[in-house]
Amino acid sequence: MSGETRPEELARRLAVVRQRIDAACAAAGRPQGSVDLLAVTKTVPAADVATLLDLGCVAFGENRVQEAGRKVEEVAALRPDARPRWHVVGGLQRNKARAVVRWADRVESVDSVRLADALDVAVRRALDTGERDGILRLLVQMSVDGDPHRGGVTRDGLGPLAEHIAGCAGLQLDGLMAVAPLGADPDAAFASVAAAAEQLRAAHPQARTLSIGMSGDLEVAIRHGSDVVRVGTALVGERRLTSR
Ligand SMILES: *Cc1c(COP(=O)(O)O)cnc(C)c1O
């Protein structure tokens, strides 16, 4: 692909990802357009986000709070009329809650009561000071294999955590997020997550969003009912931010 500009590359990659999503919906007997794309831009510069906005992407996933905070401002300067939605994916430390609530529309990686409480306090403070104008939406991250290093609450811990979040005035529980364990069969992993998501929905009807599927396993995730796939590498390539 020599001679291809970065915007051309992003357009080509996005078209492939959209085709994969459409094909997976068709194969699963699900309507076209029933699966959202979260563009995971955690490793790429603001210019790429601006290009993806031009190409019709609306939601972006970030995992490093400082990098993301800068990028949010840079994108706002590059595309002042656009309204990107910013989602936090991946581990979040409680001491970053105040910074995150300034720009995050949704945190997809909530796995403890302590983190939920820190976000709730930060949201209510930011509403008071005018740094934010709405509650914060959350997904609870479920761990499929219980490995504490990769984040996520176990299936047994899911119900109590959801119950706690339901009592937090600054937060709204939108649903469930999970990552298939490394080296594991995503089919079995996503089947177990989908069953947990159904239980969660039975207890909290507004918690209807299931966020599973990444570059390597989005087809399997869509077969298991994913509502939003979080795609990084397939969309932006192996490009990495360097000097930051
Ligand atoms: C990085 C990341 C993704 C995107 O993964 P790719 O394999 O690059 O598509 C999705 N979800 C989470 C939680 C991530 O950290």
Side-chain angles (χ1 to χ4, degrees):
M1 294 286 166
S2 61
E4 190 183 43
T5 65
R6 180 65 172 162
E8 286 164 356
E9 179 190 354
L10 290 172
R12 170 174 57 81
R13 287 179 173 278
L14 177 60
V16 171
V17 169
R18 284 184 171 148
Q19 276 163 18
R20 285 178 61 191
I21 293 171
D22 288 349
C25 284
R30 301 181 52 184
Q32 300 294 309
S34 60
V35 176
D36 290 336
L37 172 63
L38 178 68
V40 177
T41 47
K42 64 192 180 197
T43 58
V44 299
D48 281 359
V49 178
T51 300
L52 290 168
L53 275 165
D54 297 342
L55 293 167
C57 292
V58 293
F60 301 91
E62 292 283 334
N63 72 342
R64 275 182 298 177
V65 172
Q66 276 174 346
E67 173 193 325
R70 273 195 302 266
K71 209 182 291 183
V72 168
E73 288 180 15
E74 289 167 8
V75 171
L78 288 169
R79 295 291 183 276
D81 296 328
R83 289 289 169 266
R85 295 200 307 270
W86 297 96
H87 294 206
V88 176
V89 299
L92 176 63
Q93 292 166 327
R94 277 178 295 139
N95 62 9
K96 301 280 168 46
R98 281 187 73 179
V100 149
V101 301
R102 298 204 184 103
W103 48 264
D105 292 285
R106 184 154 92 190
V107 174
E108 304 215 351
S109 46
V110 176
D111 60 0
S112 73
V113 163
R114 279 160 29 119
L115 177 57
D117 282 343
L119 290 167
D120 186 39
V121 168
V123 166
R124 287 186 284 127
R125 186 198 303 243
L127 288 170
D128 281 347
T129 60
E131 283 178 301
R132 174 171 195 103
D133 58 12
I135 59 165
L136 177 67
R137 300 186 295 138
L138 304 183
L139 301 183
V140 167
Q141 182 178 350
M142 174 180 155
S143 168
V144 177
D145 59 1
D147 177 355
H149 300 295
R150 303 195 64 218
V153 64
T154 60
R155 189 161 174 185
D156 287 345
L158 195 58
L161 179 54
E163 205 56 52
H164 182 84
I165 292 168
C168 293
L171 308 177
Q172 175 181 310
L173 181 62
D174 272 2
L176 192 60
M177 185 273 252
V179 181
L182 272 180
D185 173 12
D187 193 54
F190 290 154
S192 133
V193 176
E198 200 163 316
Q199 256 179 359
L200 179 68
R201 240 175 308 215
H204 303 275
Q206 89 292 346
R208 56 178 57 262
T209 299
L210 176 58
S211 171
I212 50 174
M214 320 199 312
S215 292
D217 54 22
L218 68 88
E219 285 85 0
V220 185
I222 288 172
R223 184 150 45 78
H224 284 288
S226 179
D227 299 297
V228 50
V229 292
R230 310 177 309 270
V231 181
T233 314
L235 198 57
V236 300
E238 301 287 352
R239 233 181 189 222
R240 295 289 178 262
L241 279 176
T242 45
S243 59
R244 288 184 168 236

